[in-house]
Amino acid sequence: KPASVHELSLGLSLVSKMNAEQRPSAQDARSFMEVSHTSGELAGVTILVVEDMQANLAVVQGMLAQLGVTVEIAENGEQGIKKWLETSPDIILMDLHMPVMDGLTAIKTIRRMETGVKQRVPIFALTADIQPESMAEVAAAGGDGYISKPFKRTELVETISNRLFNKAANSNSDKSDQVVKDSSMPVDYESVDESVLSGLEEILGDQVKDIVAAFVHDVKGVFQMFDEVCECGNDQEALQRPSHSLKSISANVGALRL
């Protein structure tokens, strides 16, 4: 107590299957136990989230706040380094594509600054790009792994818990043998996958309205960046950041075609 909407839903699902004389699956029971146990386990932990898109921040902050986690926020790598020095977080979640200073540069800077001075802080990349070459760049910069976008509560919680409490099982810090989908292949998506928003609503309740509002705000900013790049001559490299931002925020609200 207090139970989150997600925990309550999992528990009721488990009980209903028992009442119907159906044996709950091992996955049902495991999901309920993991979410319930970890909700208390992470209480008091401080996590720094470095992310420039408000929609992504709203999703991850909402998920973490339910677990009793203290969430510190920074909107670019430069602010992230300052917050790291000020708050000494237990873990950092770092977006890779941001203005002012990108995530890889921020990770490298933190690793250089903490040498011989501060205890090494775990840093996980927040990214929609999980191609092997991108993950190799994260590792080379000093990152400890990644959390993929769109955010999934189970992955988010397990990654943090496994790292902070030295749990070897199911750790995603080594995903080298995971099959990565070729992002160049066409995918048959509806314009909006309503199950994504339904899943968020189950976990976060009315906060989903704030996430959608943040998404609309972010999209306006992204398209403004596209306009500015086009006015300057269609620089292909400059198009990468707004393209990545649009992909990540769209996935988090189920707008998968974007």
Side-chain angles (χ1 to χ4, degrees):
K1 297 178 181 179
S4 70
V5 173
H6 186 51
E7 290 173 85
L8 183 60
S9 176
L10 285 172
L12 290 174
S13 174
L14 200 63
V15 171
S16 65
K17 289 183 178 181
M18 296 172 69
N19 289 340
E21 297 185 352
Q22 299 175 11
R23 181 180 177 82
S25 70
Q27 181 61 42
D28 288 335
R30 186 162 53 250
S31 296
F32 177 68
M33 293 301 293
E34 285 176 352
V35 171
S36 299
H37 175 67
T38 310
S39 294
E41 191 175 61
L42 292 179
V45 167
T46 298
I47 297 177
L48 171 59
V49 182
V50 188
E51 165 69 67
D52 65 317
M53 292 287 106
Q54 295 301 310
N56 291 337
L57 275 175
V59 172
V60 71
Q61 189 172 18
M63 290 180 176
L64 291 174
Q66 288 189 338
L67 304 175
V69 171
T70 298
V71 182
E72 297 288 346
I73 298 296
E75 295 185 358
N76 59 61
E78 189 175 277
Q79 288 183 13
I81 293 170
K82 183 178 179 181
K83 279 280 188 179
W84 163 67
L85 291 170
E86 291 175 350
T87 64
S88 298
D90 298 293
I91 198 165
I92 298 175
L93 306 181
M94 180 82 71
D95 184 39
L96 299 182
H97 301 270
M98 296 177 288
V100 184
M101 180 186 288
D102 65 84
L104 290 176
T105 301
I107 294 172
K108 292 175 184 177
T109 303
I110 289 172
R111 292 295 181 236
R112 186 171 62 250
M113 293 176 66
E114 68 188 357
T115 302
V117 179
K118 295 178 70 73
Q119 183 178 355
R120 188 182 190 279
V121 60
I123 305 177
F124 286 88
L126 301 176
T127 180
D129 179 9
I130 57 173
Q131 297 301 316
E133 56 270 23
S134 298
M135 296 303 95
E137 289 183 343
V138 171
D144 295 287
Y146 69 90
I147 295 173
S148 59
K149 299 175 183 178
F151 300 124
K152 303 174 185 66
R153 177 180 167 126
T154 301
E155 180 186 9
L156 183 68
V157 170
E158 284 185 354
T159 300
I160 294 168
S161 181
N162 291 343
R163 179 64 185 187
L164 292 181
F165 304 108
N166 298 315
K167 298 178 181 178
N170 299 320
S171 174
N172 86 333
S173 59
D174 181 11
K175 293 188 176 181
S176 57
D177 58 352
Q178 181 177 6
V179 176
V180 178
K181 182 185 289 186
D182 183 353
S183 61
S184 66
M185 296 296 289
V187 181
D188 184 20
Y189 287 135
E190 296 293 334
S191 296
V192 176
D193 182 351
E194 294 184 5
S195 68
V196 175
L197 285 175
S198 296
L200 285 175
E201 188 172 23
E202 186 177 88
I203 297 171
L204 303 178
D206 287 342
Q207 283 183 267
V208 170
K209 296 177 183 177
D210 296 331
I211 292 169
V212 173
F215 167 74
V216 173
H217 174 272
D218 286 341
V219 166
K220 290 179 180 178
V222 168
F223 277 99
Q224 183 177 346
M225 285 190 282
F226 277 128
D227 289 340
E228 291 172 354
V229 172
C230 290
E231 289 174 1
C232 295
N234 291 324
D235 184 340
Q236 296 298 311
E237 186 173 338
L239 283 170
Q240 289 183 2
R241 194 178 78 80
S243 298
H244 175 89
S245 296
L246 182 61
K247 178 180 179 181
S248 70
I249 61 174
S250 300
N252 268 326
V253 296
L256 302 177
R257 279 191 180 276
L258 288 175

